[in-house]
Amino acid sequence: MFSGSRSGALELFGARVYLCVRVVFSVRGIRNMSKRAKKNQQAPADGGDDNGTEPAAKKGKKAKEPEAPVLYEDPPDKLTSKDGRAANMKITSWNVDGLRAWVKKNGLDWVRQEAPDVLCLQETKCAEKALPAEITSMPEYPHKYWAGSEDKEGYSGVAMLCKTEPIKVTYGIGKEEHDKEGRVITAEFSSFFLVTAYVPNAGRGLVRLDYRKTWDVDFRAYLSNLDKRKPLVLCGDLNVAHQEIDLKNPKGNRKNAGFTPEEREGFSQLLAAGFTDSFRDLYPEQTSAYTFWTYMMNARSKNVGWRLDYFVLSAALVPGLCDSKIRNTAMGSDHCPITLHLAV
Protein backbone atom coordinates (compact mmCIF):
# COMPACT_ATOMS: atom_id res chain seq x y z
CA MET A 1 0.00 0.00 0.00
CA PHE A 2 2.76 2.42 0.81
CA SER A 3 4.26 1.99 -2.57
CA GLY A 4 0.91 2.58 -4.27
CA SER A 5 0.18 5.68 -2.17
CA ARG A 6 3.58 7.15 -2.99
CA SER A 7 3.05 6.54 -6.66
CA GLY A 8 -0.33 8.22 -6.54
CA ALA A 9 1.11 11.24 -4.75
CA LEU A 10 3.85 11.62 -7.33
CA GLU A 11 1.35 11.48 -10.17
CA LEU A 12 -0.77 14.14 -8.48
CA PHE A 13 2.29 16.35 -7.94
CA GLY A 14 3.36 15.96 -11.59
CA ALA A 15 -0.05 16.94 -12.84
CA ARG A 16 -0.02 20.06 -10.72
CA VAL A 17 3.44 21.07 -12.06
CA TYR A 18 2.29 20.46 -15.65
CA LEU A 19 -0.75 22.64 -15.13
CA CYS A 20 1.35 25.46 -13.64
CA VAL A 21 3.78 25.36 -16.57
CA ARG A 22 0.90 25.51 -19.06
CA VAL A 23 -0.63 28.48 -17.27
CA VAL A 24 2.68 30.39 -17.21
CA PHE A 25 3.37 29.88 -20.92
CA SER A 26 -0.23 30.69 -21.83
CA VAL A 27 -0.06 33.99 -19.94
CA ARG A 28 3.25 34.86 -21.61
CA GLY A 29 1.80 34.03 -25.02
CA ILE A 30 -1.19 36.29 -24.41
CA ARG A 31 1.13 39.12 -23.31
CA ASN A 32 3.29 38.74 -26.45
CA MET A 33 0.24 38.75 -28.72
CA SER A 34 -1.02 41.86 -26.97
CA LYS A 35 2.33 43.60 -27.51
CA ARG A 36 2.36 42.71 -31.21
CA ALA A 37 -1.19 43.96 -31.66
CA LYS A 38 -0.36 47.23 -29.94
CA LYS A 39 2.70 47.69 -32.15
CA ASN A 40 0.66 47.09 -35.28
CA GLN A 41 -1.92 49.64 -34.24
CA GLN A 42 0.77 52.29 -33.81
CA ALA A 43 2.50 51.65 -37.19
CA PRO A 44 1.59 54.12 -40.01
CA ALA A 45 0.03 52.75 -43.21
CA ASP A 46 2.22 52.81 -46.32
CA GLY A 47 1.38 55.12 -49.21
CA GLY A 48 0.21 53.85 -52.60
CA ASP A 49 2.10 53.87 -55.89
CA ASP A 50 1.52 56.07 -58.92
CA ASN A 51 -0.93 53.76 -60.64
CA GLY A 52 -3.51 54.10 -57.91
CA THR A 53 -3.12 50.64 -56.33
CA GLU A 54 -2.78 50.59 -52.54
CA PRO A 55 -0.86 48.07 -50.38
CA ALA A 56 -2.77 46.30 -47.62
CA ALA A 57 -3.00 48.54 -44.56
CA LYS A 58 -1.56 47.25 -41.30
CA LYS A 59 -3.86 46.25 -38.46
CA GLY A 60 -5.69 49.10 -36.84
CA LYS A 61 -5.43 51.48 -39.87
CA LYS A 62 -8.23 52.04 -42.34
CA ALA A 63 -7.26 51.25 -45.96
CA LYS A 64 -6.86 54.34 -48.15
CA GLU A 65 -9.62 54.67 -50.73
CA PRO A 66 -8.41 54.95 -54.38
CA GLU A 67 -8.83 58.41 -55.85
CA ALA A 68 -11.79 58.89 -58.14
CA PRO A 69 -10.80 59.75 -61.73
CA VAL A 70 -11.01 63.40 -62.72
CA LEU A 71 -13.38 63.56 -65.68
CA TYR A 72 -13.88 66.38 -68.17
CA GLU A 73 -17.40 67.72 -68.57
CA ASP A 74 -18.04 69.34 -71.93
CA PRO A 75 -19.74 72.68 -71.12
CA PRO A 76 -22.76 74.03 -73.02
CA ASP A 77 -21.98 75.13 -76.59
CA LYS A 78 -21.20 78.80 -77.18
CA LEU A 79 -22.79 80.00 -80.39
CA THR A 80 -21.63 83.61 -80.46
CA SER A 81 -18.17 84.66 -81.62
CA LYS A 82 -15.73 86.97 -79.88
CA ASP A 83 -16.80 89.81 -82.16
CA GLY A 84 -20.51 89.19 -81.55
CA ARG A 85 -21.47 87.20 -84.65
CA ALA A 86 -23.67 84.11 -84.58
CA ALA A 87 -22.12 80.78 -85.49
CA ASN A 88 -23.01 79.69 -89.01
CA MET A 89 -20.52 76.87 -89.62
CA LYS A 90 -20.30 73.63 -87.64
CA ILE A 91 -17.49 71.17 -88.36
CA THR A 92 -16.92 67.82 -86.65
CA SER A 93 -13.73 65.78 -86.77
CA TRP A 94 -13.33 62.19 -85.56
CA ASN A 95 -10.56 59.61 -85.76
CA VAL A 96 -12.77 56.53 -86.15
CA ASP A 97 -10.00 53.90 -85.91
CA GLY A 98 -11.49 51.86 -88.74
CA LEU A 99 -14.54 53.11 -90.62
CA ARG A 100 -16.30 49.76 -91.04
CA ALA A 101 -16.04 48.88 -87.34
CA TRP A 102 -17.13 52.40 -86.38
CA VAL A 103 -20.24 52.15 -88.54
CA LYS A 104 -21.12 48.85 -86.86
CA LYS A 105 -20.74 50.59 -83.49
CA ASN A 106 -23.48 53.07 -84.55
CA GLY A 107 -21.13 56.00 -85.09
CA LEU A 108 -23.46 57.41 -87.73
CA ASP A 109 -26.29 57.68 -85.21
CA TRP A 110 -24.17 60.11 -83.22
CA VAL A 111 -23.27 62.04 -86.38
CA ARG A 112 -26.94 62.49 -87.28
CA GLN A 113 -27.63 63.80 -83.80
CA GLU A 114 -24.67 66.20 -83.90
CA ALA A 115 -25.57 67.27 -87.46
CA PRO A 116 -22.43 69.16 -88.50
CA ASP A 117 -22.22 71.00 -91.81
CA VAL A 118 -19.01 69.11 -92.56
CA LEU A 119 -17.85 65.79 -91.13
CA CYS A 120 -14.13 64.94 -91.29
CA LEU A 121 -12.88 61.44 -90.51
CA GLN A 122 -9.39 60.09 -89.97
CA GLU A 123 -7.85 56.62 -89.84
CA THR A 124 -10.63 55.19 -91.96
CA LYS A 125 -8.52 52.12 -92.85
CA CYS A 126 -10.82 51.40 -95.77
CA ALA A 127 -10.38 51.46 -99.53
CA GLU A 128 -13.07 53.38 -101.39
CA LYS A 129 -14.33 50.17 -103.03
CA ALA A 130 -14.98 48.66 -99.57
CA LEU A 131 -16.84 51.60 -98.01
CA PRO A 132 -20.02 50.63 -96.12
CA ALA A 133 -23.26 51.46 -97.90
CA GLU A 134 -24.56 53.04 -94.69
CA ILE A 135 -22.16 55.95 -95.15
CA THR A 136 -21.88 56.17 -98.93
CA SER A 137 -25.66 56.53 -99.22
CA MET A 138 -26.14 59.14 -96.47
CA PRO A 139 -28.53 61.74 -97.94
CA GLU A 140 -27.51 64.31 -95.32
CA TYR A 141 -24.09 64.61 -96.98
CA PRO A 142 -24.43 64.49 -100.75
CA HIS A 143 -20.80 65.53 -101.29
CA LYS A 144 -18.33 62.91 -100.07
CA TYR A 145 -14.57 62.71 -100.56
CA TRP A 146 -12.17 59.86 -99.69
CA ALA A 147 -8.42 59.36 -99.59
CA GLY A 148 -6.63 56.10 -98.75
CA SER A 149 -3.17 54.59 -98.71
CA GLU A 150 -1.82 53.58 -102.11
CA ASP A 151 0.61 51.01 -100.72
CA LYS A 152 -1.17 49.47 -97.73
CA GLU A 153 -4.82 48.57 -97.80
CA GLY A 154 -6.48 49.03 -94.43
CA TYR A 155 -3.96 51.68 -93.37
CA SER A 156 -4.36 55.40 -92.67
CA GLY A 157 -7.05 57.15 -94.74
CA VAL A 158 -9.20 60.28 -94.37
CA ALA A 159 -12.65 61.39 -95.50
CA MET A 160 -14.70 64.57 -95.76
CA LEU A 161 -18.52 64.66 -96.01
CA CYS A 162 -20.17 67.99 -96.84
CA LYS A 163 -23.72 69.30 -96.93
CA THR A 164 -22.66 72.07 -99.32
CA GLU A 165 -20.46 71.37 -102.31
CA PRO A 166 -16.98 72.91 -101.99
CA ILE A 167 -15.57 75.07 -104.75
CA LYS A 168 -12.66 72.67 -105.15
CA VAL A 169 -11.25 69.57 -103.43
CA THR A 170 -7.63 68.41 -103.54
CA TYR A 171 -5.78 65.44 -102.05
CA GLY A 172 -2.38 65.42 -100.36
CA ILE A 173 0.10 68.27 -99.97
CA GLY A 174 1.94 67.99 -103.27
CA LYS A 175 4.77 65.70 -102.14
CA GLU A 176 4.72 62.07 -103.24
CA GLU A 177 6.51 60.68 -100.17
CA HIS A 178 3.63 61.96 -98.02
CA ASP A 179 0.68 61.78 -100.37
CA LYS A 180 0.86 58.04 -101.06
CA GLU A 181 -0.38 57.35 -97.51
CA GLY A 182 -3.72 59.15 -97.96
CA ARG A 183 -3.46 61.60 -95.07
CA VAL A 184 -4.86 64.94 -96.27
CA ILE A 185 -7.97 66.31 -97.98
CA THR A 186 -8.41 70.05 -98.61
CA ALA A 187 -11.73 71.65 -99.52
CA GLU A 188 -12.03 75.24 -100.67
CA PHE A 189 -15.14 77.16 -99.61
CA SER A 190 -16.01 80.76 -100.38
CA SER A 191 -14.33 82.31 -97.33
CA PHE A 192 -11.88 79.66 -96.10
CA PHE A 193 -10.06 76.40 -96.76
CA LEU A 194 -10.85 73.32 -94.70
CA VAL A 195 -7.99 70.84 -94.30
CA THR A 196 -8.46 67.51 -92.59
CA ALA A 197 -5.34 65.52 -91.75
CA TYR A 198 -4.19 62.31 -90.13
CA VAL A 199 -0.63 63.21 -89.17
CA PRO A 200 1.84 60.29 -89.18
CA ASN A 201 2.71 58.76 -85.84
CA ALA A 202 6.39 58.62 -84.85
CA GLY A 203 5.85 54.93 -84.14
CA ARG A 204 6.74 52.48 -81.39
CA GLY A 205 10.38 52.99 -80.56
CA LEU A 206 10.23 56.29 -82.52
CA VAL A 207 11.17 54.45 -85.71
CA ARG A 208 9.44 57.13 -87.83
CA LEU A 209 10.46 60.20 -85.84
CA ASP A 210 12.81 61.46 -88.56
CA TYR A 211 10.06 61.05 -91.13
CA ARG A 212 7.64 62.84 -88.81
CA LYS A 213 10.03 65.79 -88.51
CA THR A 214 10.19 66.02 -92.31
CA TRP A 215 6.38 65.84 -92.48
CA ASP A 216 6.00 68.66 -89.98
CA VAL A 217 8.21 70.97 -92.02
CA ASP A 218 6.51 70.15 -95.34
CA PHE A 219 2.98 70.27 -93.91
CA ARG A 220 3.61 73.63 -92.26
CA ALA A 221 4.85 75.02 -95.58
CA TYR A 222 1.72 73.68 -97.32
CA LEU A 223 -0.58 75.33 -94.78
CA SER A 224 1.31 78.62 -94.87
CA ASN A 225 0.98 78.76 -98.65
CA LEU A 226 -2.77 78.13 -98.41
CA ASP A 227 -3.09 80.82 -95.75
CA LYS A 228 -1.62 83.37 -98.14
CA ARG A 229 -4.55 82.77 -100.48
CA LYS A 230 -7.40 82.37 -97.97
CA PRO A 231 -7.63 81.66 -94.22
CA LEU A 232 -7.95 78.03 -93.21
CA VAL A 233 -9.29 75.59 -90.65
CA LEU A 234 -7.11 72.56 -89.99
CA CYS A 235 -8.76 69.65 -88.20
CA GLY A 236 -7.91 66.08 -87.41
CA ASP A 237 -5.68 63.76 -85.45
CA LEU A 238 -2.41 65.68 -85.33
CA ASN A 239 -0.71 62.98 -83.22
CA VAL A 240 0.88 65.34 -80.69
CA ALA A 241 0.03 66.41 -77.16
CA HIS A 242 1.46 69.92 -77.28
CA GLN A 243 1.93 70.75 -73.59
CA GLU A 244 2.02 68.83 -70.33
CA ILE A 245 -1.56 69.90 -69.69
CA ASP A 246 -2.58 67.95 -72.80
CA LEU A 247 -2.00 64.46 -71.40
CA LYS A 248 -2.46 62.67 -68.09
CA ASN A 249 1.08 61.38 -67.57
CA PRO A 250 3.61 63.76 -69.15
CA LYS A 251 6.64 62.62 -67.11
CA GLY A 252 6.36 59.02 -68.23
CA ASN A 253 5.84 59.84 -71.92
CA ARG A 254 8.65 62.24 -72.81
CA LYS A 255 10.35 59.60 -74.97
CA ASN A 256 7.15 58.19 -76.45
CA ALA A 257 5.52 58.98 -79.78
CA GLY A 258 3.21 61.97 -79.52
CA PHE A 259 5.09 63.74 -76.74
CA THR A 260 8.71 63.88 -77.83
CA PRO A 261 10.41 67.28 -77.76
CA GLU A 262 10.70 67.14 -81.56
CA GLU A 263 6.97 66.61 -82.16
CA ARG A 264 5.98 69.23 -79.62
CA GLU A 265 8.39 71.71 -81.17
CA GLY A 266 6.91 71.00 -84.59
CA PHE A 267 3.49 72.01 -83.30
CA SER A 268 4.93 75.08 -81.59
CA GLN A 269 6.43 76.15 -84.91
CA LEU A 270 3.04 75.72 -86.60
CA LEU A 271 1.47 78.07 -84.05
CA ALA A 272 4.39 80.50 -84.45
CA ALA A 273 3.65 80.57 -88.19
CA GLY A 274 0.38 82.38 -87.45
CA PHE A 275 -2.05 79.63 -86.48
CA THR A 276 -4.12 79.15 -83.29
CA ASP A 277 -5.07 76.09 -81.27
CA SER A 278 -8.78 76.89 -80.91
CA PHE A 279 -9.40 74.84 -77.77
CA ARG A 280 -6.50 76.36 -75.84
CA ASP A 281 -7.43 79.82 -77.07
CA LEU A 282 -10.82 79.43 -75.37
CA TYR A 283 -9.82 77.18 -72.46
CA PRO A 284 -6.16 77.91 -71.66
CA GLU A 285 -6.14 76.33 -68.19
CA GLN A 286 -8.56 73.45 -68.72
CA THR A 287 -7.14 70.18 -67.44
CA SER A 288 -8.25 66.56 -68.00
CA ALA A 289 -9.59 67.41 -71.48
CA TYR A 290 -8.48 64.54 -73.69
CA THR A 291 -9.53 63.09 -77.05
CA PHE A 292 -7.67 59.76 -77.10
CA TRP A 293 -7.46 56.86 -74.64
CA THR A 294 -5.74 53.54 -75.22
CA TYR A 295 -8.01 50.51 -75.08
CA MET A 296 -5.75 48.98 -72.42
CA MET A 297 -5.93 49.26 -68.62
CA ASN A 298 -9.42 50.83 -68.57
CA ALA A 299 -7.77 54.09 -69.57
CA ARG A 300 -10.96 55.76 -70.75
CA SER A 301 -12.95 55.10 -67.58
CA LYS A 302 -10.01 56.43 -65.58
CA ASN A 303 -9.58 59.37 -68.02
CA VAL A 304 -5.91 58.56 -68.56
CA GLY A 305 -5.73 60.18 -71.97
CA TRP A 306 -4.12 62.51 -74.50
CA ARG A 307 -5.42 65.51 -76.44
CA LEU A 308 -4.33 64.60 -79.97
CA ASP A 309 -7.24 66.00 -82.02
CA TYR A 310 -7.41 69.69 -82.88
CA PHE A 311 -9.06 72.54 -84.70
CA VAL A 312 -6.29 74.94 -85.72
CA LEU A 313 -7.28 78.30 -87.20
CA SER A 314 -5.65 81.00 -89.28
CA ALA A 315 -5.33 84.27 -87.38
CA ALA A 316 -7.98 85.87 -89.61
CA LEU A 317 -10.61 83.34 -88.43
CA VAL A 318 -9.99 83.65 -84.68
CA PRO A 319 -12.38 86.62 -84.20
CA GLY A 320 -15.17 84.39 -85.55
CA LEU A 321 -14.37 81.51 -83.17
CA CYS A 322 -17.44 80.63 -81.11
CA ASP A 323 -16.54 77.32 -79.48
CA SER A 324 -14.24 74.31 -79.74
CA LYS A 325 -15.82 71.21 -78.26
CA ILE A 326 -14.54 67.85 -77.00
CA ARG A 327 -17.42 65.35 -77.19
CA ASN A 328 -15.81 62.89 -74.79
CA THR A 329 -18.99 60.91 -74.09
CA ALA A 330 -19.34 59.76 -77.71
CA MET A 331 -18.22 56.15 -78.06
CA GLY A 332 -17.20 54.02 -81.03
CA SER A 333 -13.44 54.59 -81.26
CA ASP A 334 -10.36 55.06 -79.09
CA HIS A 335 -10.72 58.75 -79.98
CA CYS A 336 -13.75 60.92 -79.34
CA PRO A 337 -15.11 63.49 -81.82
CA ILE A 338 -14.44 67.20 -81.60
CA THR A 339 -16.67 69.97 -82.97
CA LEU A 340 -16.00 73.56 -84.01
CA HIS A 341 -18.56 76.38 -84.02
CA LEU A 342 -17.44 79.24 -86.25
CA ALA A 343 -18.84 82.49 -87.63
CA VAL A 344 -17.56 82.97 -91.19
Side-chain angles (χ1 to χ4, degrees):
M1 286 183 64
F2 179 78
S3 176
S5 299
R6 185 178 180 185
S7 176
L10 288 172
E11 288 178 1
L12 179 61
F13 176 76
R16 287 177 177 175
V17 170
Y18 173 74
L19 288 172
C20 289
V21 171
R22 285 196 64 183
V23 169
V24 169
F25 278 95
S26 296
V27 170
R28 286 179 178 175
I30 291 170
R31 286 176 178 172
N32 288 337
M33 289 175 64
S34 177
K35 288 179 180 179
R36 286 196 297 270
K38 185 175 181 180
K39 183 178 180 181
N40 285 340
Q41 288 175 353
Q42 292 173 342
D46 292 336
D49 58 24
D50 289 340
N51 64 13
T53 58
E54 299 292 337
K58 293 187 178 180
K59 292 181 180 179
K61 282 289 184 178
K62 186 178 180 181
K64 184 179 178 182
E65 293 293 332
E67 293 184 5
V70 179
L71 304 178
Y72 172 69
E73 294 187 7
D74 186 26
D77 293 18
K78 302 173 187 175
L79 299 178
T80 303
S81 68
K82 296 180 178 183
D83 58 9
R85 289 178 288 158
N88 60 358
M89 175 60 66
K90 183 177 184 181
I91 305 169
T92 290
S93 175
W94 199 346
N95 177 320
V96 294
D97 188 32
L99 182 67
R100 286 167 288 189
W102 173 76
V103 168
K104 291 178 181 178
K105 295 175 185 176
N106 302 315
L108 292 177
D109 291 346
W110 184 91
V111 170
R112 289 188 172 96
Q113 183 178 3
E114 184 77 354
D117 298 301
V118 183
L119 172 66
C120 297
L121 305 175
Q122 302 87 41
E123 206 172 358
T124 55
K125 299 180 180 179
C126 185
E128 191 167 351
K129 63 184 179 182
L131 291 168
E134 293 92 331
I135 194 167
T136 58
S137 62
M138 283 185 77
E140 298 92 337
Y141 300 97
H143 311 287
K144 305 175 184 70
Y145 309 94
W146 317 91
S149 172
E150 296 176 6
D151 296 335
K152 303 177 186 178
E153 189 168 341
Y155 174 76
S156 187
V158 291
M160 186 181 294
L161 287 70
C162 308
K163 290 184 176 181
T164 302
E165 186 176 9
I167 297 170
K168 183 180 180 181
V169 174
T170 58
Y171 302 87
I173 63 174
K175 287 187 174 287
E176 176 61 24
E177 63 176 310
H178 305 312
D179 295 347
K180 64 184 179 181
E181 293 191 355
R183 294 187 176 273
V184 178
I185 296 176
T186 301
E188 181 180 359
F189 294 94
S190 59
S191 56
F192 69 99
F193 287 106
L194 174 59
V195 181
T196 189
Y198 175 44
V199 171
N201 191 299
R204 190 177 299 276
L206 304 180
V207 295
R208 296 195 87 193
L209 181 58
D210 287 342
Y211 171 69
R212 169 62 183 269
K213 289 159 64 177
T214 300
W215 163 278
D216 283 347
V217 172
D218 293 342
F219 190 46
R220 183 170 67 251
Y222 172 74
L223 296 173
S224 294
N225 286 331
L226 281 181
D227 191 44
K228 292 175 183 177
R229 298 165 50 194
K230 194 179 290 188
L232 65 86
V233 174
L234 164 65
C235 71
D237 177 0
L238 304 190
N239 258 320
V240 61
H242 184 217
Q243 303 291 356
E244 290 192 0
I245 196 174
D246 295 316
L247 72 167
K248 175 66 174 178
N249 296 317
K251 290 183 180 179
N253 283 293
R254 298 190 192 282
K255 296 182 180 180
N256 289 334
F259 198 61
T260 62
E262 294 88 345
E263 292 164 298
R264 296 170 65 193
E265 176 60 22
F267 192 78
S268 293
Q269 290 182 15
L270 177 62
L271 300 184
F275 299 99
T276 296
D277 174 355
S278 63
F279 183 82
R280 281 289 167 233
D281 184 71
L282 293 171
Y283 307 102
E285 305 298 328
Q286 178 63 58
T287 60
S288 305
Y290 310 128
T291 65
F292 165 80
W293 306 262
T294 177
Y295 287 124
M296 299 182 292
M297 305 297 290
N298 296 318
R300 189 157 189 173
S301 64
K302 297 175 184 177
N303 200 28
V304 179
W306 302 55
R307 189 171 72 95
L308 301 179
D309 302 83
Y310 296 78
F311 283 105
V312 174
L313 308 181
S314 293
L317 294 179
V318 173
L321 173 61
C322 300
D323 212 348
S324 189
K325 312 300 296 174
I326 294 177
R327 307 298 201 197
N328 60 324
T329 61
M331 308 301 287
S333 170
D334 51 0
H335 291 248
C336 73
I338 57 175
T339 290
L340 179 74
H341 292 291
L342 192 64
V344 294

